[in-house]
Amino acid sequence: MAAWMVAGNWKMNNTTAEAVALAKEIVAGLPDIAGRGEVVLAPSFTVLGSVHDVIRGSNIALASQNIFFEDKGAYTGEISPAMLKDAGCTYAIIGHSERRKYFHETDEGVNLKTKKCLAVGLKPIVCVGETDEEREAGITEFVVGIQVKKALAGITDMADVTIAYEPVWAIGTGKNATPGQAEEVHGFIRNILRDLYKEASLNVRILYGGSVTAENFGELIAMKNINGALVGGASLKSGSFLGIISRALENGQ
Ligand code: PEP
């Protein structure tokens, strides 16, 4: 099984000074995670370089919150994977539910972006998850199953792919899934991966995301198929983010 990952998605927050200060606090407070797990920060595009300078030499990797799937050209406002690698990114968050909701990203677009990441050597963190209405209607597995299969269409090697299960109703709401609810969907995703990738599926990290805190993460990370967290709100304060990392060290596999 792959080592755990705790990734902080800063979303559209932090000026350069704020981002640098937060990254410095996280670097200063980071326990020894070498060989145990991975910590990733995903700041806004504008501060990737500044945050990269701060985390250089630490055990923290950099991620972008999105990419565009073309290499270069007349795509005003977009950022290519090569530019993100150049800025120091190792990972890229793909298909976050906020991008699906506000920017109309589709499963097909998520697939193009995931494949482009892999083609250029960026590691995608592919987000999937059902809405409140979909859960209420009892179609969580149907929805998540389609999202996973479409995102991974044509991908044969999963060594660099991480999946993040983020129930939309739990993102930024303070309403996190119970460990049992989360594990049920993680197990379902693992089964899809097993069908597609056989033994290699066991090494694919499946993160949970949705109102993760230092208080609730200990029980989540102890679940068999939960291999880490994608953290929004609680990644914006060093104390809460470092607390989540401590829970991963204590209870993660
Ligand atoms: C997220 O944005 O990926 C997320 C999980 O946010 P929050 O932790 O704030 O729910």
Side-chain angles (χ1 to χ4, degrees):
M1 175 56 64
W4 53 261
M5 174 193 285
V6 173
N9 173 14
W10 290 357
K11 310 195 185 189
M12 199 173 72
N13 292 291
N14 292 329
T15 61
T16 306
E18 289 164 348
V20 165
L22 177 56
K24 280 185 176 166
E25 285 174 21
I26 293 169
V27 169
L30 190 71
D32 184 9
I33 57 163
R36 304 282 307 279
E38 276 191 88
V39 172
V40 178
L41 296 180
S44 301
F45 289 134
T46 52
V47 298
L48 282 170
S50 309
V51 171
H52 188 235
D53 286 344
V54 176
I55 63 177
R56 202 186 300 273
S58 75
N59 276 319
I60 300 176
L62 195 66
S64 66
Q65 297 176 14
N66 183 27
I67 67 156
F68 189 50
F69 50 75
E70 294 291 350
D71 291 319
K72 56 160 48 178
Y75 302 104
T76 302
E78 291 297 333
I79 301 192
S80 77
M83 291 170 181
L84 295 167
K85 277 190 76 182
D86 185 48
C89 290
T90 306
Y91 291 94
I93 298 173
I94 304 293
H96 190 280
S97 64
E98 287 152 15
R99 296 218 53 88
R100 293 179 190 254
K101 178 176 175 189
Y102 299 119
F103 305 100
H104 315 295
E105 290 205 2
T106 61
D107 289 329
E108 289 70 23
V110 169
N111 177 244
L112 286 174
K113 290 181 175 189
T114 303
K115 286 194 286 202
K116 178 54 79 173
C117 279
L118 294 172
V120 304
L122 267 181
K123 299 177 180 180
I125 300 172
V126 180
C127 302
V128 297
E130 81 287 3
T131 63
D132 212 0
E133 296 72 38
E134 289 161 346
R135 176 161 282 263
E136 288 299 313
I139 56 170
T140 296
E141 293 191 353
F142 176 74
V143 170
V144 171
I146 288 177
Q147 289 174 337
V148 170
K149 286 179 200 154
K150 287 195 169 178
L152 302 180
I155 293 169
T156 51
D157 184 353
M158 289 292 283
D160 287 334
V161 180
T162 298
I163 308 277
Y165 168 59
E166 301 205 298
V168 178
W169 48 271
I171 296 182
T173 58
K175 242 190 346 177
N176 69 304
T178 63
Q181 281 174 322
E183 174 63 16
E184 200 177 351
V185 183
H186 282 236
F188 169 72
I189 295 172
R190 183 80 64 203
N191 284 340
I192 294 177
L193 298 177
R194 195 173 285 125
D195 282 349
L196 293 171
Y197 303 105
K198 313 296 174 223
E199 279 301 294
S201 64
L202 295 174
N203 292 323
V204 179
R205 264 188 300 230
I206 308 175
L207 312 182
Y208 169 76
S211 299
V212 167
T213 63
E215 288 68 39
N216 62 34
F217 191 52
E219 277 190 72
L220 286 159
I221 187 68
M223 304 307 268
K224 180 163 167 252
N225 288 294
I226 299 183
N227 313 117
L230 182 54
V231 187
S235 71
L236 292 172
K237 292 267 182 293
S238 57
S240 45
F241 191 59
L242 290 166
I244 292 167
I245 294 166
S246 297
R247 296 298 90 75
L249 273 173
E250 288 157 11
N251 293 356
Q253 295 121 39

